[in-house]
Amino acid sequence: MTTVTHSSPSDDRPAEARGARSARERQVSDFTELARVVREMGLMRRRHAYYWTRFAVLTLTLVGIGVAFVLIGPSWWQMVTAAVLAVVLGQVMFLGHDAAHKQIFASSRWNDWASLVIANLYAGMSYGWWNHKHGRHHAKPNTVGADGDIQPGVLVFTTENLEKTRTGLKGWFAQRQGWFFFPLLLLEGINLHASGVKTIFGRGPVKHRAVEITLVTVRLGGYLALVFWVLPVGMALAFLGVQLGLFGVYMGASFAPNHKGMPVVPASAKMDFLRRQVLLSRNITGGRLVDWFMGGLNHQVEHHLFPSMPSPALRAARPVVQEFCESRGITYTQTTLLESYRIVVRYLNEVGLAARDPFQCPLVAEYRMAR
C-alpha cells in the first residue's frame, strides 16, 4: 500500500514545497512497497546450486572445446569451433555479469573474486574496467553525461552531447549508422579486450591491478599461443577473426535491445529510482530460449530495479513488476527480440540524421516526436 505523509498544521512551508515533498515520499514509498513484495516472494534468495552447476558446465564445455580444437588440428572445420567458442564465451560473460552484480554470493569479496576469475581468466576481459563502466550505466541509464553507453564515438546515440554536427563522409555514415550497427559489432570483441587491457595497464585506479594483469596475460597469452601452435598463420588469423567477430555480435545483440531507442534524458532530469529504471529500459519477450540467449538480460526492467537479484528469478519477478507499474500508471515497455532490433536500427538512423543536419525538416521533427 502506498504511504502518503501529510504535512502537520504547524508546517509553515509554502504549499508547493509541501506538495513536492509529498510526491517524493510517495515515489520512494512505491519502490519500498515493490521491494517488500519481491523479498517476501523469496526472489532475492541466493541460488548457489544453480550458479555452481552453471560454472561447472561452462568450465567443462571450455575444456571440451580446447580438446576438440587440438584433435581437429589444421582444418577449416575449426571455423565451426571458433563459432561455438564465441557463443560459450558469451555465456561466460553473462555469468561474470551476475557475479559482478553480487548475485551469486552473499559476500562481496567472493563475488569480486568470482568476477575476476570468470571475466579475466576465462574470457580475457578486465573486470575492473567493465564494472566501472557498467556501474555508471546502472546508476543513470540513458542519461546524457552519466551513462557511458550513449557517449558519441563511431556511432551517435543522442545529439544532446554532440560537440559538433557531422558532415561530409562522417555525416553520410551517421545518416545510415543504424544499418551499420550490427556489422560494426564484428569489431566489438576486439574493442572489449583492448579497452580492458588499456585500463589495467594504464595509470587510472584499478582495485586488483596485479591480479587482473596476471589473469588477463595468462588467458590472452595462452590462448594465442595455443591457436598459433595448432594452426598455420593464415588459418589461425581466420579462427581469431571468426571467434572475436561473432563474440562481439553476440554481446552487442544481447545488450543493445535493452536501452537503445528508449528515451534519453538530460543529466538535470529529476526522476525517482523506480521511474528512472522502468521508463528508460525495455524488456524482451520470449520463452526460456530467449532467457538463455540473452543471459537473463531480456528481463532488463527487473534487472535494473533489483541488480542483485539472481538471474533465474527475474522471470518470476516480471509479472509482479509489470502489474505494479500498471497500477501506478508507469509505462512498462516490452517487445520481441526482432522488433527491438528494428527499433534500434530505426532510432540510430534518426539520430544520425539529426547529427548530420540539426536544421531538420519540420515533418521529420514531428515524426520523431510522435514516436
Side-chain angles (χ1 to χ4, degrees):
M1 182 179 295
T2 302
T3 301
V4 180
T5 303
H6 297 280
S7 300
S8 63
S10 60
D11 193 341
D12 59 356
R13 293 171 302 155
E16 292 183 0
R18 293 198 301 270
R21 180 178 178 181
S22 179
R24 288 196 298 270
E25 289 171 343
R26 286 197 299 271
Q27 292 170 351
V28 171
S29 180
D30 283 345
F31 180 71
T32 300
E33 174 66 13
L34 176 60
R36 181 188 63 77
V37 172
V38 165
R39 285 195 302 271
E40 289 179 352
M41 292 178 64
L43 298 179
M44 302 302 294
R45 176 177 55 84
R46 305 294 173 178
R47 308 295 180 90
H48 294 129
Y50 166 83
Y51 278 113
W52 278 114
T53 300
R54 190 170 159 189
F55 177 74
V57 169
L58 286 173
T59 300
L60 291 175
T61 302
L62 287 173
V63 171
I65 291 174
V67 172
F69 176 77
V70 173
L71 293 178
I72 293 173
S75 165
W76 287 107
W77 283 105
Q78 292 285 20
M79 301 308 110
V80 176
T81 308
V84 173
L85 180 58
V87 174
V88 174
L89 287 176
Q91 291 293 316
V92 167
M93 286 307 301
F94 291 144
L95 182 60
H97 169 269
D98 288 5
H101 278 295
K102 319 299 181 189
Q103 296 178 18
I104 301 179
F105 303 106
S107 167
S108 293
R109 184 176 181 182
W110 274 64
N111 282 305
D112 283 343
W113 280 98
S115 299
L116 286 166
V117 170
I118 295 169
N120 293 62
L121 185 60
Y122 276 47
M125 290 174 52
S126 168
Y127 158 61
W129 164 77
W130 182 87
N131 197 40
H132 174 72
K133 178 177 180 292
H134 197 61
R136 292 177 59 202
H137 161 72
H138 263 266
K140 292 188 174 182
N142 275 25
T143 302
V144 178
D147 185 357
D149 289 354
I150 60 172
Q151 283 294 108
V154 176
L155 300 176
V156 180
F157 297 104
T158 174
T159 56
E160 295 296 324
N161 55 355
L162 193 63
E163 295 181 357
K164 59 181 180 179
T165 58
R166 300 201 168 183
T167 58
L169 182 59
K170 287 184 177 180
W172 178 90
F173 175 83
Q175 192 175 4
R176 299 163 178 81
Q177 64 175 359
W179 303 116
F180 286 101
F181 176 69
F182 286 100
L184 282 173
L185 289 178
L186 290 167
L187 302 175
E188 182 62 12
I190 296 176
N191 178 58
L192 291 172
H193 288 292
S195 297
V197 170
K198 182 180 178 181
T199 297
I200 61 178
F201 283 97
R203 296 182 177 180
V206 178
K207 185 178 179 180
H208 301 285
R209 186 187 301 276
V211 174
E212 291 215 44
I213 289 176
T214 300
L215 295 180
V216 168
T217 300
V218 169
R219 162 60 171 82
L220 295 182
Y223 177 57
L224 292 175
L226 178 63
V227 170
F228 283 98
W229 175 62
V230 173
L231 304 179
V233 174
M235 193 176 292
L237 292 175
F239 179 91
L240 292 173
V242 171
Q243 186 266 299
L244 290 170
L246 292 182
F247 174 72
V249 171
Y250 188 19
M251 290 291 92
S254 301
F255 282 89
N258 303 319
H259 299 281
K260 301 296 183 287
M262 293 299 289
V264 174
V265 299
S268 59
K270 303 297 182 183
M271 303 176 70
D272 66 287
F273 177 79
L274 174 65
R275 286 159 180 80
R276 181 183 293 274
Q277 303 302 336
V278 175
L279 296 176
L280 306 183
S281 302
R282 178 194 298 117
N283 272 9
I284 304 301
T285 58
R288 298 290 179 179
L289 181 60
V290 176
D291 284 2
W292 172 84
F293 174 77
M294 298 189 68
L297 297 177
N298 48 313
H299 308 290
Q300 190 70 187
V301 172
E302 291 71 30
H303 172 58
H304 264 254
L305 287 173
F306 305 101
S308 60
M309 178 184 290
S311 59
L314 293 172
R315 174 171 285 275
R318 189 170 187 160
V320 177
V321 173
Q322 183 176 6
E323 181 180 355
F324 186 89
C325 290
E326 289 176 352
S327 70
R328 283 155 177 78
I330 303 172
T331 302
Y332 183 100
T333 304
Q334 57 183 343
T335 189
T336 64
L337 184 61
L338 291 180
E339 176 62 16
S340 73
Y341 292 153
R342 189 185 73 82
I343 291 172
V344 170
V345 171
R346 183 181 64 182
Y347 170 77
L348 288 175
N349 280 338
E350 291 175 4
V351 173
L353 176 63
R356 182 177 184 272
D357 183 9
F359 304 104
Q360 296 180 43
C361 168
L363 292 177
V364 176
E366 181 180 351
Y367 169 71
R368 293 188 63 196
M369 292 178 66
R371 288 181 63 248

